[in-house]
Amino acid sequence: MRKHPADPVRTIAVLADDLTSAGDGAAPFRGGGHRAKVLLPEAVEPGAVPPDGVVAVDLGSRLLDEAAAVALAGRFAEAFARSDLLIKTVDSTLRGHVAAEVRAAHAGSRRRAVVVAPAFPAEGRTTVRGVQYVHGVPVHETDFARDPVHPVRTADLTRLLPEAEVLEPEQFGKLPELIDGGGVFVCSAATDADLRLLVDSVPMPGDVLWVGSPGLAAALAGRHPAVPTVRPPEPPMARRPLVVVGSANPATRRQLDRLRPRMDVTAVEAAEAPVEGLRALRRTAAPVLVVHTPDARRTDARSLTADLALFVRELVADGLVDGLVLTGGETAVAALEALGAAGIDLVDEPEPGVARGVLLSPPHLPVLIKAGGFGDDGTLDRLLRLLMEGGPITGSPPIAERGPVTERSPIAEGGPTS
């Protein structure tokens, strides 16, 4: 049913292809006063009525084959078809099964039209005449062309979606009429102002399947704040946190190196730490325990991820951990599954690519989840301090003090970037 443009948006669904993207998609709405949960797909009941607020589901489809990804995208788009806003997130560098998932989600959503706007200007990802750029370079000419799982072959969205019509910002005024006729529309955007103009140009947001990255989510959240607003939960502070580093991305390894010298930190390589040894260490060592994969991968990445998840489960079960920092999307999913957690109650996004929340199942630990390639060298150090000391909703330092944000590059020595 079409909503009147004056009606408030109450139910929002975000369908993401990995966990960190689910957090990225939900966080701007949490900042706009909506309740927000990030869920694993197993936690979503078929036919459930969307609750007020945001439900962001990690479909995990980027790591699946295309047929499985299509099936998930279509099924969950149908499950959330009654949402006031339905958003299918895509990677702003066009990795993953972008075209196949968009088509499947469109069919399942029963929306009149699809608006595709993958630009994320704050991170240098822009769309000009339907071509995706990273800091001015077509994405297929960047490191993302060498992604070990989904190498990017083209920056031209019309090659991915030949059925689409490309619209420049000066043409967005045509969208109400175009949407009534149905179709797929790739919308160029070089600035956040372009994305806001795009959102403002669609009077009936429920008629559209929105496809984009955090830039589009932020524009939609700004246009549709919660009425009334809901304050985020106050996460408890941690005294005995566990930091789990599963990402092989060079940015995360530099962050790990910055963390190791802290006097309150004991860092252990997972491959050299049996569970019993970690238990003993946890009882006697410094307050902060860091368990990480080797700097140079010497074994299968999935085996390392399974080991990390086992450590999390056992240490939490023994009551030796009261807070978590999880780095790497695959690592975070494995840890949540090992704990039997359906997801997190989202608090905020203290820095780009970081979700802060509280586990939805006992013991309801505070948790920070960071994408592998995001952040500067001090990011892990800041997030750990935020977990232990608390702080405002924006836990990161002012922009001027952060230094440059590292690109989410897919190239990492010894393994994948998640």
Side-chain angles (χ1 to χ4, degrees):
M1 182 176 68
R2 300 181 75 186
K3 292 179 69 66
H4 187 277
D7 290 345
V9 166
R10 297 188 182 280
T11 59
I12 301 153
V14 178
L15 307 181
D17 63 0
D18 72 359
L19 185 64
T20 53
S21 294
D24 288 344
F29 293 98
R30 172 69 273 190
H34 292 274
R35 292 183 175 88
K37 289 180 170 59
V38 177
L39 301 178
L40 300 182
E42 296 80 9
V44 179
E45 297 181 9
V49 176
D52 281 3
V54 184
V55 175
V57 185
D58 165 28
L59 303 181
S61 54
R62 196 181 301 177
L63 297 176
L64 302 177
D65 62 47
E66 185 173 291
V70 163
L72 278 174
R75 176 160 64 90
F76 278 88
E78 184 175 358
F80 287 101
R82 288 177 288 175
S83 299
D84 296 339
L85 275 182
L86 181 57
I87 303 165
K88 175 67 183 78
T89 67
V90 294
D91 181 68
S92 60
T93 64
L94 307 184
R95 288 176 295 163
H97 308 289
V98 174
E101 289 192 36
V102 167
R103 294 187 185 109
H106 185 202
S109 72
R110 302 192 293 274
R111 271 12 187 207
R112 287 173 177 265
V114 183
V115 170
V116 182
F120 189 10
E123 291 296 313
R125 287 87 189 272
T126 57
T127 313
V128 181
R129 296 181 179 87
V131 175
Q132 195 73 357
Y133 293 86
V134 176
H135 294 297
V137 180
V139 66
H140 70 284
E141 297 177 9
T142 69
D143 282 347
F144 296 100
R146 299 192 297 277
D147 184 283
V149 180
H150 287 288
V152 179
R153 301 304 187 197
T154 181
D156 188 343
L157 285 151
T158 64
R159 292 186 64 184
L160 289 175
L161 296 163
E163 69 272 30
E165 179 178 349
V166 175
L167 298 176
E168 299 304 305
E170 60 269 20
Q171 299 173 300
F172 291 168
K174 299 163 52 179
L175 275 167
E177 181 179 353
L178 292 172
I179 288 168
D180 277 344
V184 179
F185 305 98
V186 167
C187 296
S188 296
T191 66
D192 288 324
D194 290 339
L195 292 170
R196 291 192 295 269
L197 175 62
L198 169 61
V199 168
D200 288 344
S201 299
V202 180
M204 299 287 190
D207 284 353
V208 169
L209 171 66
W210 298 90
V211 177
S213 64
L216 180 61
L220 286 165
R223 182 70 176 83
H224 302 290
V227 181
T229 60
V230 179
R231 290 183 60 83
E234 186 65 33
M237 290 183 289
R239 295 184 179 181
R240 302 285 287 177
L242 174 65
V243 181
V244 183
V245 178
S247 174
N249 191 286
T252 289
R253 308 318 286 197
R254 291 192 297 270
Q255 294 160 13
L256 175 61
D257 289 341
R258 176 79 169 265
L259 202 60
R260 285 180 173 123
R262 280 181 47 160
M263 297 296 293
D264 59 347
V265 169
T266 298
V268 181
E269 186 178 301
E272 300 175 355
V275 172
E276 288 303 324
L278 279 182
R279 286 194 179 103
L281 190 62
R282 172 80 291 192
R283 292 186 175 97
T284 60
V288 180
L289 179 61
V290 179
V291 182
H292 61 88
T293 51
D295 291 331
R297 293 283 171 90
R298 297 188 294 271
T299 187
D300 178 66
R302 292 185 180 181
S303 175
L304 290 169
T305 301
D307 287 345
L308 292 174
L310 173 64
F311 297 153
V312 172
R313 185 185 70 193
E314 296 300 315
L315 293 175
V316 170
D318 288 349
L320 299 174
V321 168
D322 61 0
L324 298 168
V325 178
L326 306 174
T327 295
E330 290 178 63
T331 299
V333 169
L336 294 183
E337 290 176 341
L339 293 172
I344 66 171
D345 191 358
L346 187 66
V347 173
D348 64 355
E349 187 180 36
E351 301 198 19
V354 178
R356 177 167 66 148
V358 178
L359 293 181
L360 286 172
S361 56
H364 301 295
L365 298 182
V367 60
L368 285 152
I369 298 172
K370 188 190 81 68
F374 268 20
D376 59 32
D377 291 358
T379 295
L380 269 183
D381 184 82
R382 291 194 300 273
L383 296 182
L384 185 56
R385 293 184 190 278
L386 178 63
L387 184 68
M388 299 181 73
E389 300 171 9
I393 295 305
T394 301
S396 57
I399 294 291
E401 296 178 15
R402 287 189 202 170
V405 176
T406 304
E407 278 295 324
R408 206 184 226 171
S409 169
I411 307 304
E413 293 183 7
T417 60
S418 64

